[in-house]
């Protein structure tokens, strides 16, 4: 029943059914009025040979006229209704859709494809058609077109009319993307034996996920995290008439620079294609391995500090994650030495350049759910339980030190702001004294200006104005006393 319904809803079959129904109804009307005789048909064929249309019998001429009128009305109806089939914005687009609908009627059309969230939706044999076609993209989709010999153009949200022999080279989702690689769930990547519910393929897949993010510390301990990267194509909000932003250049770079990977024996050619969304996560994994080898396993969870006298010490793990983000988000970064310490040397970021060349920008990158071999994990748990008090005291000292530094900096800032505000009226008067050297400032006016500046600060600052009501009165009285004395 489902197959019969799909056949009945097929647009081309609907057109054939309607035309046949009209033809049968017309034939019935002709039958009621009387069929043309054999002699009339023969005469019509003869006069058509000699181009003497005025000699055609009236009944045959009426049928020919009706057929001509039917063809004209048929194509005029196609032209009228074609402009309501797709969302169109110009006369040129209306002309294109009329041409393609007429081509569709005679089976000469190209592919008709819908792309939603970067995914193609099409019928089974739609991709083998070579005529001019049409693509309907939603607001979060874009694509790159190609022929057999060249990549032609980038297309974005809306209706796109394809040329003859033009195909879709690749599609993109304009939404912000998040890529996740590494072990899944609570699986143990270090168990190299198949579990009860695993076959050989499952074991191979689990080990493959392990090696995607596996790295070694400086003392040779293997650490396997999950690498999580958030990224998107480079674009401005609203660009390309979509809230997600459509930048043709970024879409072009993302598809054209897709890599070629190694496929398994016997797999289709598509398996060799590395999708554009895979690049940021694998770059982050390479950065994880590069920086992991700078630290010992113990340093990953100890406060090492980016510099020997750093007032804001970080663990080795925090330094690695920060370096991953810097290298993927900034054009120039501070280079770390072989022990993870900052060198004050600014160098270009290779990963940032690679991402830009492929039209991508990273929002965040992190390594989470760190996994270690079971003996190492057990030793680490025992060590944490044995030294938790020392680590807590060390962290308390660090917090106390940062708090004291913040208090000192706040005190210095407050003194500077007070001196600047209190001396503002006096500075204006000193400028006037400078312009008139014969007038020298006296002690009483100078003191009055300083007190007046303090009072103005109390009035302008909402917090001071609310808490220092009595003090404002005292300052006003002090100004009056200075003036009288």
């Amino acid at each position: 029943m489902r197959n019969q319904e799909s056949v009945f809803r097929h647009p081309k079959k609907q057109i054939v059914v309607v035309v046949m129904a009209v033809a049968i109804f017309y034939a019935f009307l002709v039958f009621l009025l009387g069929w043309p005789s054999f002699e009339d048909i023969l005469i019509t064929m003869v006069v058509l040979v000699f181009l003497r249309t005025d000699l055609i019998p009236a009944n045959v001429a009426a049928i020919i006229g009706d057929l001509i009128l039917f063809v004209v009305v048929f194509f005029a109806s196609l032209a009228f209704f074609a402009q309501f089939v797709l969302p169109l914005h110009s006369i040129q687009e209306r002309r294109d859709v009329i041409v393609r609908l007429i081509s569709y009627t005679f089976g000469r059309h190209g592919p008709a494809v819908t792309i939603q969230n970067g995914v193609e939706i099409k019928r089974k044999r739609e991709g083998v058609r070579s005529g001019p076609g049409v693509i309907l993209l939603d607001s979060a989709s874009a694509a790159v077109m190609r022929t057999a010999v060249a990549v032609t153009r980038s297309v974005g949200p809306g209706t796109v009319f394809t040329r003859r022999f033009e195909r879709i080279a690749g599609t993109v989702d304009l939404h912000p993307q998040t890529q996740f690689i590494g072990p899944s769930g609570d699986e143990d990547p270090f168990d190299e034996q198949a579990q009860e519910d695993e076959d050989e393929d499952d074991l191979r897949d689990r080990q493959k996920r392990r090696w995607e993010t596996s790295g070694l510390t400086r003392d040779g301990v293997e650490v396997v995290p999950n690498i999580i990267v958030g990224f998107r194509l480079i674009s401005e909000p609203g660009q390309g008439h979509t809230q997600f932003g459509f930048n043709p250049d970024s879409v072009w770079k993302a598809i054209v620079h897709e890599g070629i990977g190694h496929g398994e024996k016997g797999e289709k050619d598509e398996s060799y294609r590395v999708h554009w969304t895979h690049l940021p996560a694998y770059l982050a994994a390479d950065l994880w391995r590069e920086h992991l080898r700078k630290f010992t396993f113990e340093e990953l969870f100890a406060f090492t500090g980016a510099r020997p006298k750093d007032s804001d010490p970080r663990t080795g793990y925090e330094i690695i994650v920060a370096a991953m983000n810097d290298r993927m988000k900034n054009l120039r970064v501070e280079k770390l030495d072989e022990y993870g310490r900052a060198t004050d040397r600014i160098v270009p970021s290779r990963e940032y350049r690679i991402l830009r060349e492929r039209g991508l920008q990273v929002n965040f990158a992190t390594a989470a759910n760190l996994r270690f071999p079971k003996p190492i994990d057990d030793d680490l748990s025992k060590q944490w339980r044995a030294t938790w008090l020392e680590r807590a005291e060390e962290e308390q000292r660090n917090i106390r030190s940062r708090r004291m530094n913040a208090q000192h900096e706040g005190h210095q800032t407050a003194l500077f702001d007070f001196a600047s505000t209190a001396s503002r009226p006096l500075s204006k008067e000193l400028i006037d004294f400078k312009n008139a050297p014969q007038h020298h400032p006296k002690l009483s006016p100078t003191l009055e200006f300083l007190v007046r500046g303090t009072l103005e600060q109390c009035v302008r600052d909402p917090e001071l104005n609310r808490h220092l009501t009595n003090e404002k009165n005292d300052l006003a009285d002090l100004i009056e006393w200075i003036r009288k004395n």
Side-chain angles (χ1 to χ4, degrees), residues 92-145:
Q92 177 65 30
E93 290 182 346
R94 286 175 169 79
R95 185 186 69 82
D96 290 337
V97 76
I98 291 171
V99 171
R100 280 155 178 78
L101 190 56
I102 294 175
S103 300
Y104 179 82
T105 304
F106 294 99
R108 307 295 296 175
H109 65 286
V113 180
T114 299
I115 302 179
Q116 295 182 357
N117 296 327
V119 178
E120 292 185 53
I121 302 175
K122 60 183 179 182
R123 290 194 294 268
K124 186 174 181 180
R125 295 185 55 81
E126 204 69 27
V128 301
R129 303 184 185 277
S130 60
V134 62
I135 303 175
L136 182 62
L137 302 99
D138 68 0
S139 61
S141 299
V144 173
M145 309 304 297

Side-chain angles (χ1 to χ4, degrees), residues 69-89:
L69 179 62
F70 173 78
V71 172
V72 172
V73 172
F74 176 76
F75 285 104
S77 300
L78 283 180
F80 177 76
F81 290 106
Q83 60 185 326
F84 304 108
V85 174
L86 297 170
L88 307 173
H89 299 91

Side-chain angles (χ1 to χ4, degrees), residues 44-86:
T44 301
M45 296 175 61
V46 172
V47 291
L48 286 178
V49 172
F50 293 98
L51 301 179
R52 294 293 304 275
T53 56
D54 57 318
L55 300 178
I56 297 177
N59 54 352
V60 177
I63 294 176
I64 295 175
D66 290 340
L67 292 177
I68 294 174
L69 179 62
F70 173 78
V71 172
V72 172
V73 172
F74 176 76
F75 285 104
S77 300
L78 283 180
F80 177 76
F81 290 106
Q83 60 185 326
F84 304 108
V85 174
L86 297 170

Side-chain angles (χ1 to χ4, degrees), residues 14-25 70 74:
Q14 288 180 345
I15 294 175
V16 172
V17 170
V18 172
V19 172
M20 290 181 62
V22 172
I24 292 173
F25 179 72
F70 173 78
F74 176 76

Side-chain angles (χ1 to χ4, degrees), residues 191-237:
D191 189 354
E192 299 183 358
Q193 301 297 325
Q195 304 296 320
E196 295 181 358
D197 57 345
E198 281 186 332
D199 55 21
E200 291 297 326
D201 291 337
D202 294 334
L203 174 61
R204 183 167 57 251
D205 291 340
R206 178 159 60 84
Q207 292 301 308
K208 181 180 179 181
R209 291 192 292 270
R210 168 189 177 180
W211 299 119
E212 282 180 338
T213 61
S214 175
L216 294 176
T217 62
R218 198 169 73 236
D219 51 352
V221 177
E222 182 181 358
V223 182
V224 181
N226 290 119
I227 300 296
I228 307 172
V229 181
F231 62 96
R232 61 171 298 151
L233 290 170
I234 300 173
S235 64
E236 297 294 333

Side-chain angles (χ1 to χ4, degrees), residues 157-309:
T159 304
V160 176
F161 296 97
T162 62
R163 309 182 185 101
R164 188 173 177 82
F165 300 114
E166 200 171 32
R167 296 284 185 271
I168 296 177
T171 60
V172 301
D173 185 353
L174 299 179
H175 287 102
Q177 304 288 316
T178 300
Q179 189 72 12
F180 178 100
I181 61 173
S184 59
D186 57 352
E187 67 183 16
D188 182 6
F190 300 99
D191 189 354
E192 299 183 358
Q193 301 297 325
Q195 304 296 320
E196 295 181 358
D197 57 345
E198 281 186 332
D199 55 21
E200 291 297 326
D201 291 337
D202 294 334
L203 174 61
R204 183 167 57 251
D205 291 340
R206 178 159 60 84
Q207 292 301 308
K208 181 180 179 181
R209 291 192 292 270
R210 168 189 177 180
W211 299 119
E212 282 180 338
T213 61
S214 175
L216 294 176
T217 62
R218 198 169 73 236
D219 51 352
V221 177
E222 182 181 358
V223 182
V224 181
N226 290 119
I227 300 296
I228 307 172
V229 181
F231 62 96
R232 61 171 298 151
L233 290 170
I234 300 173
S235 64
E236 297 294 333
Q239 186 177 5
H241 307 290
T242 172
Q243 59 179 330
F244 305 104
F246 165 63
N247 185 336
D249 186 54
S250 297
V251 174
W252 175 283
K253 291 177 179 178
I255 297 300
V256 170
H257 288 92
E258 282 187 333
I260 302 298
H262 63 284
E264 299 293 337
K265 184 177 180 181
E267 290 184 350
K268 297 180 180 180
D269 292 341
E270 190 67 21
S271 64
Y272 291 89
R273 179 176 173 178
V274 179
H275 199 264
W276 66 274
T277 57
H278 294 176
L279 176 65
Y282 287 116
L283 279 179
D286 287 341
L287 289 171
W288 161 259
R289 297 187 185 96
E290 176 185 338
H291 291 87
L292 180 63
R293 64 179 179 82
K294 300 176 184 293
F295 300 90
T296 64
F297 182 76
E298 183 178 355
E299 290 173 344
L300 284 180
F301 310 102
F303 291 101
T304 59
R307 295 179 176 84
K309 296 183 179 180

Side-chain angles (χ1 to χ4, degrees), residues 390-407:
E390 296 178 3
R391 290 183 285 106
E393 292 176 347
E394 180 182 359
E395 185 173 358
Q396 183 182 26
R397 288 193 296 270
N398 291 329
I399 293 175
R400 187 182 298 113
S401 176
R402 290 197 294 269
R403 181 178 179 182
M404 293 178 62
N405 291 334
Q407 288 178 342

